Amino acid sequence: MTLAEDNGPERGGDDLFAAEYVLGVLPVEERQIASRRIDAETDFARLVDGWEVRLSPLGAAYLEIEPPASVKPAIDRRLFSSAATTPAEPRAGLWSSLAFWRGLAVAAVAALALYVAVPYVNRPAEQPQARLVASLAADGSDVKYLAVYDSERHEVSLSHVSGVLAAGKDFELWMIEGKNAPVSMGVIPAGATAHIGVSPTTQRKLAQGAVLAVSLEPAGGSPTGQPTGPVVAAGDLKGI
C-alpha cells in the first residue's frame, strides 16, 4: 500500500465518504446512509473514527464563544417564516452553494492529508513517531474506543465511543506484541476519556506499533495477570 493510499483522500470511495461525514458536508440522505453503515460495518466505522482523530486537533486552535442572542431568532425566521411574510431571498451565490462547500471540504481533506503525510515522509528513520493512534473495535461487540499513544507524555489517552459496562465489571487495557503474552496496562477508568501511564519497557514496545486490546474483567481487573474475559475491542497502533 502506498503512502497516498494509506493517508490521503485519493483513495476515494469509503475513505472520502467517511471524511465528508466527519466534516458534516454530506446531504441528509447520504449522512443517514453513513450512520447506518457505522452501526453495521466495522471497517467503515474505523475509517470514520480515524478521520475524527485526524480532524479533531483542528478545533483546538479556536476558543469556545457564546453566539449573540440575535442568532437563534434569525435562524428561526429563515427556517419557519412563510414565503408570504418573508422577503424574497436573493439568488444563491457562491457562498451559499452546497457544491462549493463540499468541494472546499474535499480540498481541506486533501490539504490535511498532505500536512499529515509530509512530516511522515521527511521524518528521519531513527526518530520515532511522537503519536500513534488505534481504533479499538471487535466483531460482535458494541464496545469502541479511540486510543492515542503520546510518546512524549508517556501515556495512552482513551476516548470511550460506545458500549455499556456491565455492573461489577471493568474494562482492562492490554498490549499485545507479536506472539508474546498480553501485558496489562491497567484497568480503564470509567468515563468518556481516560489516561493511562506507560512504563519505560512498554513505551519501547508501543513505539514499534503493538496491538492494543480491551477485555471485560471482574471489578478491579484480571486476577491472573492475563485476560480472563472476552476481548471486546482491539486495534493496531499506527502513525498519524
Side-chain angles (χ1 to χ4, degrees), residues 64-103:
E64 189 171 303
I65 61 172
E66 187 74 18
S70 59
V71 170
K72 178 62 164 58
I75 292 175
D76 288 343
R77 287 195 298 271
R78 287 285 301 272
L79 293 177
F80 305 117
S81 296
S82 65
T85 58
T86 302
E89 293 290 333
R91 183 176 178 179
L94 178 64
W95 294 104
S96 59
S97 167
L98 176 60
F100 169 78
W101 285 110
R102 291 193 67 185

Side-chain angles (χ1 to χ4, degrees), residues 136 174-178 206 209-213 234-237:
L136 310 183
W174 304 85
M175 181 200 70
I176 304 174
E177 181 194 25
L206 289 178
V211 173
L212 294 182
D236 298 327
L237 279 170

